[in-house]
Amino acid sequence: MSVTSQYKDAWEGFWSEAPDVPGEVFWDAEPAVTAGAHLALFEPHVADPALTLVDLGCGNGTQTRFLAGRFHQVLGVDLSAAAVEHARRQDPSGEQRFRELDAVDGDAVAQLHAELGDANVYMRGVLHQCVEKDRQALADTIATLVGERGRAFVVELGEAAGARLAALAQGEAGPPAKLLPVLRHGIAPGAVADAEASRLFAAAGLDVIAEGELPLATTEYASDGSRLELPSRWLVVGRGSGRDDG
């Protein structure tokens, strides 16, 4: 199974046009308010920090480069070849690894697991951008990558975020400038019910070890200077006992 060419083309078009300037992409917030905040929730549940960390849906690699300072080995993967090229350009020393990967291609994912062994996974805001038919395959991918020893941190927009984004897009002033390219390329976030992620990972054979809510930072700001944040839910999943609610 793999994504449709239309879906892949949308991402290629978006990343081909996206500027290399940090913070110009709607979700490309600085790591201090994204991956940094998430690691405080994730690290207590990582059973084996020596495993490679896979940044799944790495985009231009902003979070990947931060994560590389906290884990021994990090690999950023993305569906879009243009995104991977962005990531490599922003890492001129070539110290960080990036790779193109269709995350719902079961054979490609199995090959990656065979290469890396069990891995830890970081995935931010990918599930809600998938078409509905690919969501279970994406959860299955995470189950394959974490294997028996790994853990995954997954953060997705909450149900309430859909209404907030719709209101922004339809407001009198029009969509925020950094949201416009997302909408123009047909990458409008889909509605994922708050309970759906848990069901998908359970069907993939993973346990929800911890979960909670927190605001997801964007790079847009309101007229009063406050950062635009969207409601989100986070999960730590893996094959293991014990559960803590955040």
Side-chain angles (χ1 to χ4, degrees):
M1 181 180 184
S2 61
V3 298
T4 64
S5 60
Q6 181 179 0
Y7 189 52
K8 183 176 174 65
D9 289 348
W11 280 109
E12 288 293 351
F14 174 83
W15 281 113
S16 294
E17 294 180 6
D20 275 330
V21 180
E24 286 302 306
V25 172
F26 183 68
W27 53 80
D28 190 33
E30 59 271 28
V33 295
T34 47
H38 298 151
L39 279 186
L41 301 168
F42 184 33
E43 286 180 320
H45 305 287
V46 174
D48 189 345
L51 300 179
T52 297
L53 177 75
V54 177
D55 183 4
L56 185 57
C58 68
N60 61 6
T62 298
Q63 312 307 319
T64 319
R65 290 186 292 276
F66 171 82
L67 293 165
R70 302 292 290 268
F71 289 84
H72 179 61
Q73 295 287 338
V74 175
L75 173 65
V77 300
D78 201 278
L79 167 68
S80 166
V84 170
E85 287 306 310
H86 267 277
R88 288 173 176 160
R89 284 197 300 271
Q90 294 184 34
D91 181 39
S93 66
E95 294 180 1
Q96 187 50 54
R97 293 186 297 161
F98 297 99
R99 184 181 306 182
E100 186 179 350
L101 177 74
D102 178 350
V104 296
D105 182 336
D107 290 339
V109 172
Q111 289 173 11
L112 181 60
H113 180 260
E115 174 187 336
L116 300 178
D118 290 356
N120 295 311
V121 176
Y122 175 75
M123 187 175 78
R124 177 177 66 108
V126 176
L127 190 64
H128 76 270
Q129 294 174 348
C130 286
V131 293
E132 186 173 358
K133 67 181 182 63
D134 286 336
R135 291 176 189 161
Q136 186 61 60
L138 184 58
D140 293 344
T141 283
I142 291 178
T144 297
L145 292 175
V146 301
E148 296 299 323
R149 296 182 296 151
R151 296 286 186 269
F153 184 87
V154 178
V155 58
E156 294 294 334
L157 294 183
E159 289 180 52
R164 179 82 187 277
L165 284 168
L168 286 170
Q170 298 166 14
E172 190 172 314
K178 294 174 187 175
L179 184 58
L180 277 171
V182 181
L183 301 175
R184 186 172 67 249
H185 286 283
I187 311 174
V192 177
D194 287 346
E196 183 177 354
S198 297
R199 291 196 299 267
L200 292 171
F201 289 115
L206 296 178
D207 301 315
V208 176
I209 297 167
E211 62 182 319
E213 299 179 357
L214 79 170
L216 189 65
T218 76
T219 59
E220 277 286 6
Y221 291 82
S223 57
D224 63 2
S226 61
R227 184 190 292 270
L228 174 60
E229 296 179 328
L230 299 170
S232 75
R233 292 194 59 79
W234 59 270
L235 306 171
V236 177
V237 298
R239 293 181 174 90
S241 60
R243 176 190 173 103
D244 300 306
D245 292 326

